[in-house]
Amino acid sequence: KFTDRVVPLKDTGRVFPEKGVGDLADAFQIIKQSHPDAKLLILGNQNNAGQRIVYPRLRSEYRGDVTLHPWTTDDNEKAVHYMAADAFVQPSYHDTFGMSPLEAMVIGIPVVVSNVDGLRSWVDKMLAYGSKSGDVKSITHRLNFILSNPQQAKANARRVQEFAKEQFNIRNVIDAYLALYDYEMGMKGNGHIVDPRDKEESYATLAELSGDERFRTFGRTTRRQWNGVTLSPEDKLALQVHPKAVREEIKSNGTTQ
């Protein structure tokens, strides 16, 4: 349990230089001078990568304030780490969508990310504090602001939390997926042919997001139909339950099956 200030970096299952962990270690040393009770938690340590990348950057007296934790798929364990933190940091040199920052936002933690593709949108929407990738000074500046102004930082995080929960709730995400599929997969007759395997995989994603297996069944049956397989009565029945109808049912009931 971390009882003092904790500045965590959550990683996508691994720690390596492109994630900016070395820069974070350098920033942490500077932060310790003005916030001596600060602690650093790095999630995603595998094969002692953190020891090789982080420890050489730290003064020996600071290493005891750094915890390197393996990646976990346990949502409850991840939530505990998030909620123990005063800030979440992902100072990547390049990245994708940025699911980890979003998780931190939803829990209500101030987020610092580098202003690179995949993460820049969080900064542009004023949902995260931006820093320049590879710029230890800017990372330090953002973290010092959060740790020195906890009430303001928490108030900002609560605003972001409300937006993130509304913008990225399961219903809105499903709507966005369906709208994309309508356009990309020819469901509105836009003229291009789509590999049925992609279509099946996409509906499988919807099933995982919503918890409703009818999406998966529809995608699987559509592929069978595309491939000229003789459909069973069960297959024909599955095709009658269009994904949009399932979506409307979820919307009206407020639950998934």
Side-chain angles (χ1 to χ4, degrees):
K1 181 178 180 181
F2 299 91
T3 56
D4 296 319
R5 298 188 185 279
V6 182
V7 183
L9 166 69
K10 176 175 167 294
D11 200 292
T12 55
R14 51 187 176 168
V15 172
F16 59 106
E18 288 79 5
K19 284 292 182 180
V21 290
D23 298 329
L24 182 57
D26 291 341
F28 178 68
Q29 289 201 121
I30 301 172
I31 288 167
K32 288 287 287 184
Q33 298 172 23
S34 54
H35 300 279
D37 59 343
K39 299 184 188 301
L40 175 63
L41 167 64
I42 297 180
L43 298 183
N45 188 43
Q46 290 183 337
N47 301 320
N48 295 320
Q51 287 85 339
R52 295 194 304 272
I53 299 170
V54 176
Y55 282 170
R57 311 282 283 260
L58 295 172
R59 292 164 55 178
S60 59
E61 61 266 33
Y62 292 156
R63 292 178 184 174
D65 291 323
V66 176
T67 299
L68 301 170
H69 195 285
W71 171 244
T72 177
T73 58
D74 187 314
D75 289 340
N76 291 327
E77 184 178 358
K78 286 191 289 184
V80 168
H81 290 312
Y82 278 128
M83 290 186 289
D86 291 300
F88 170 96
V89 191
Q90 189 154 318
S92 307
Y93 283 73
H94 52 80
D95 223 310
T96 53
F97 170 73
M99 183 61 73
S100 300
L102 177 58
E103 291 174 346
M105 292 174 198
V106 170
I107 288 180
I109 306 302
V111 171
V112 179
V113 297
S114 51
N115 197 8
V116 297
D117 290 343
L119 300 176
R120 184 178 294 115
S121 61
W122 300 126
V123 180
D124 292 342
K125 295 176 182 177
M126 301 181 69
L127 301 177
Y129 299 91
S131 65
K132 297 178 181 179
S133 61
D135 189 337
V136 173
K137 184 177 180 179
S138 67
I139 298 171
T140 305
H141 175 72
R142 295 303 192 187
L143 287 174
N144 267 326
F145 173 81
I146 293 171
L147 297 178
S148 300
N149 301 276
Q151 296 306 315
Q152 183 177 347
K154 288 178 181 178
N156 291 339
R158 284 193 294 269
R159 173 187 59 80
V160 171
Q161 181 184 35
E162 293 175 3
F163 176 86
K165 284 184 175 181
E166 174 60 29
Q167 186 75 15
F168 295 96
N169 68 59
I170 188 64
R171 297 178 188 176
N172 288 341
V173 171
I174 289 176
D175 275 346
Y177 265 92
L178 286 177
L180 177 62
Y181 300 156
D182 277 349
Y183 180 78
E184 293 293 338
M185 296 184 178
M187 291 176 66
K188 289 184 177 178
N190 57 358
H192 58 269
I193 298 175
V194 177
D195 189 322
R197 291 170 296 183
D198 293 338
K199 199 167 190 177
E200 181 179 15
E201 182 178 342
S202 298
Y203 282 116
T205 300
L206 273 177
E208 294 171 3
L209 284 169
S210 66
D212 197 310
E213 286 298 311
R214 287 177 292 179
F215 287 117
R216 193 187 311 275
T217 301
F218 184 88
R220 182 171 56 246
T221 306
T222 300
R223 180 184 177 187
R224 288 169 58 82
Q225 183 183 44
W226 182 289
N227 290 337
V229 176
T230 301
L231 299 183
S232 68
E234 292 78 11
D235 289 335
K236 294 178 181 179
L237 183 62
L239 285 178
Q240 294 177 16
V241 184
H242 194 277
K244 286 190 174 180
V246 177
R247 169 65 184 91
E248 289 305 313
E249 181 181 323
I250 292 172
K251 184 176 181 179
S252 61
N253 293 340
T255 58
T256 59
Q257 289 199 154

